[in-house]
Amino acid sequence: MLTDLPLEIQVRLLKLVPGSLLKYTNAHFYLLYNDLFFDKLVRTFGDDAIVILAKVYPWLRTYIMSLDLFRLETRQVICSRRKLKDFAVDKSAMLPDDITQAQYIGDLWKYVYSLFKNKRMFAEYSDYKIDEPTNYVYNHYVEINRTYLLLYCKTAWLAPGRYNLNIGLVVKHGSGLGTTKFEIKYRNAEGVDTELTFYPPTNIKDILPKNQFCFLKIAEFEIPPMPQEEVLGSTSHHHHHLYKIQLTMEEIGLYLKSGFSIFFIDISLPSMIFNDYDLLYYSCQETNYKYFINLPLKNLYKALNHVQNGGDDGYDSILPYGQGDPNEIAADYAQDYDFDCHMKFASSDEQLLAYAEFFFKNAFNKRNFKFNTVYQRRQFVNKFGEFDRKDGEDEVHNICMYDREGLKWRIPILGEL
């Protein structure tokens, strides 16, 4: 039996073939797989990641609880065996030493790691500089309507590795999108700022479908490993293995920008469909932000970024990493996910699960894929099936098997060991 092998060999087997089904063969391997992600979290983000988790626990618990819609049974496999405690129910104060025993964290370390590794930057009024009053920053997105000024700036902390830079937007006619510059800036170990600059296709407004939500891949980039002698240091731009980065999106010409709405900018782990199959974008025939902006996730990233940035979002801020207090911005968190008037007298957890039902299970919202080459499209269709069925085609024998539940694009990209 594999369970009779020394623990070091079991761990080695899981790491050698992380995509194998070994982790699903029994509870022992599933718990071990979960624990390895805790080790990876600490190894990647440092021991103080546990302190940060304790600070953002209320928002993290809310988001992870919403995943019970499709993760409840697998989460309970770990929760019941580890005898984890729901600190929100017990009204206990969350301390860093309690994190590994906390329900909704200790039973889903893979998701917690992925939330740290990816960064989704939702539209915030304070992050944009645009002409007013013809442009509007709503509660959860920014609408660009006849402006010559467009500047977006946001700081975040990233671990070394490869990433995709993506944007989620809705295009009406998209004037001026082709002259937008995206820049990632970070300070290297020698103290010199490194700038990575990317541009969308110049004919982007002709490429993207109109009046649909589009998730467009802008570029790939890499954050280099920190030199070993620098790892233990902590400065205003580095913390152990981590880099503070500044993402900037700005107009580089004198062209009028108009006719599009920005929902979020996404820094994510590489994914199979975007990186292996060279997907340019996917689109959905829907423009309502409620289907694409997950409000518990937005609140979580707002709290996490505030804590990691020390309470100051400036790139040159000297405030120490991880010292921010997420309660300082309590008024800024979205509270309107209890959108169903029939649920107004329900408990907050019941309202949350009703919201999750709406967000994760609106199956009518089908995606259409646009690949960079015909060859990659054919490769994808050969493996997963045709996603763009024509009227009258046999649905039973011609259906795309990729992400049939429609969940992959609604959650952060899950990393592997």
Side-chain angles (χ1 to χ4, degrees):
M1 293 289 291
L2 290 176
T3 51
D4 296 330
L5 293 171
L7 183 61
E8 293 81 359
I9 296 179
Q10 297 178 33
V11 170
R12 185 69 172 161
L13 288 172
L14 285 170
K15 289 186 175 181
L16 280 174
V17 192
S20 74
L21 298 180
L22 177 60
K23 53 184 171 288
Y24 300 123
T25 54
N26 57 38
H28 168 78
F29 279 110
Y30 194 66
L31 267 67
L32 179 58
Y33 181 72
N34 182 66
D35 292 343
L36 289 175
F37 270 100
F38 170 73
D39 294 339
K40 186 171 185 177
L41 175 75
V42 173
R43 188 170 64 251
T44 304
F45 296 96
D47 292 333
D48 45 6
I50 306 304
V51 178
I52 291 175
L53 282 174
K55 289 187 175 184
V56 302
Y57 174 72
W59 299 275
L60 181 57
R61 176 190 179 274
T62 297
Y63 177 69
I64 296 293
M65 177 181 279
S66 73
L67 305 184
D68 273 358
L69 196 70
F70 56 91
R71 295 292 302 174
L72 178 61
E73 291 79 10
T74 53
R75 187 179 63 76
Q76 287 181 335
V77 168
I78 300 172
C79 184
S80 60
R81 287 167 172 78
R82 293 280 193 249
K83 296 181 171 54
L84 302 181
K85 176 182 177 182
D86 189 350
F87 286 81
V89 171
D90 295 339
K91 306 297 183 184
S92 306
M94 171 56 71
L95 301 174
D97 292 343
D98 299 325
I99 281 294
T100 56
Q101 296 302 312
Q103 194 178 158
Y104 301 107
I105 295 182
D107 42 19
L108 280 177
W109 283 117
K110 181 175 183 176
Y111 283 76
V112 174
Y113 169 80
S114 298
L115 288 165
F116 266 72
K117 188 72 172 178
N118 299 279
K119 293 290 183 180
R120 179 158 290 186
M121 302 173 182
F122 295 93
E124 299 285 350
Y125 184 83
S126 58
D127 300 328
Y128 283 86
K129 291 182 180 179
I130 52 178
D131 296 337
E132 296 186 68
T134 57
N135 300 276
Y136 307 94
V137 180
Y138 294 94
N139 286 338
H140 305 296
Y141 66 97
V142 57
E143 181 177 308
I144 306 300
N145 180 27
R146 297 187 60 80
T147 181
Y148 291 94
L149 170 65
L150 175 62
L151 177 63
Y152 169 86
C153 196
K154 191 76 172 178
T155 58
W157 290 82
L158 290 183
R162 294 198 61 81
Y163 295 90
N164 288 348
L165 176 63
N166 316 295
I167 185 171
L169 74 169
V170 171
V171 176
K172 294 179 181 177
H173 50 82
S175 298
L177 268 176
T179 57
T180 303
K181 179 181 76 172
F182 293 82
E183 182 180 273
I184 301 285
K185 181 169 71 172
Y186 64 89
R187 190 159 296 175
N188 62 24
E190 289 74 34
V192 179
D193 283 340
T194 299
E195 297 175 352
L196 308 174
T197 304
F198 312 103
Y199 301 91
T202 54
N203 60 340
I204 184 173
K205 78 170 188 176
D206 301 318
I207 293 175
L208 297 181
K210 306 303 184 286
N211 297 311
Q212 297 183 34
F213 172 80
C214 296
F215 187 84
L216 171 70
K217 177 184 171 185
I218 300 293
E220 300 176 30
F221 68 95
E222 183 172 7
I223 300 295
M226 186 74 70
Q228 195 61 38
E229 63 273 12
E230 302 288 340
V231 167
L232 296 178
S234 183
T235 68
S236 59
H237 290 83
H238 306 109
H239 185 74
H240 299 304
H241 297 275
L242 306 182
Y243 290 81
K244 179 191 280 189
I245 65 104
Q246 178 177 268
L247 169 66
T248 303
M249 176 182 69
E250 63 179 332
E251 164 64 34
I252 58 173
L254 299 176
Y255 298 97
L256 180 69
K257 291 190 174 300
S258 183
F260 59 95
S261 300
I262 300 172
F263 286 3
F264 53 78
I265 296 177
D266 191 66
I267 296 177
S268 70
L269 289 166
S271 64
M272 178 189 68
I273 191 167
F274 274 102
N275 297 82
D276 295 346
Y277 288 95
D278 200 18
L279 185 71
L280 176 61
Y281 69 81
Y282 66 74
S283 62
C284 301
Q285 293 186 342
E286 177 61 65
T287 60
N288 191 328
Y289 77 89
K290 292 182 179 180
Y291 293 99
F292 308 105
I293 296 178
N294 185 304
L295 300 184
L297 181 63
K298 179 180 179 180
N299 287 343
L300 171 58
Y301 273 128
K302 183 186 287 289
L304 180 60
N305 288 340
H306 189 78
V307 171
Q308 288 185 311
N309 287 332
D312 187 340
D313 291 339
Y315 177 70
D316 292 316
S317 168
I318 61 173
L319 293 179
Y321 171 86
Q323 298 302 308
D325 180 1
N327 294 304
E328 292 176 345
I329 54 172
D332 296 339
Y333 298 115
Q335 303 294 335
D336 50 349
Y337 60 79
D338 53 341
F339 61 93
D340 189 343
C341 62
H342 300 293
M343 297 291 294
K344 63 181 180 180
F345 298 113
S347 69
S348 58
D349 287 351
E350 289 173 329
Q351 290 178 349
L352 175 64
L353 293 177
Y355 175 83
E357 180 84 20
F358 161 79
F359 187 84
F360 291 113
K361 288 198 172 180
N362 51 83
F364 74 91
N365 205 351
K366 301 296 184 183
R367 282 173 297 171
N368 188 51
F369 301 115
K370 176 66 174 179
F371 296 88
N372 277 302
T373 67
V374 174
Y375 171 77
Q376 293 291 0
R377 185 191 191 282
R378 188 179 299 120
Q379 292 292 99
F380 180 84
V381 170
N382 288 343
K383 182 171 183 178
F384 297 105
E386 180 58 66
F387 57 86
D388 187 19
R389 294 192 309 276
K390 303 297 187 290
D391 292 339
E393 289 185 337
D394 187 347
E395 183 172 342
V396 175
H397 296 93
N398 192 12
I399 186 170
C400 182
M401 301 300 293
Y402 176 77
D403 190 21
R404 290 189 63 181
E405 293 79 18
L407 294 174
K408 289 182 182 292
W409 64 290
R410 292 185 169 102
I411 61 176
I413 301 296
L414 297 177
E416 280 296 350
L417 292 174

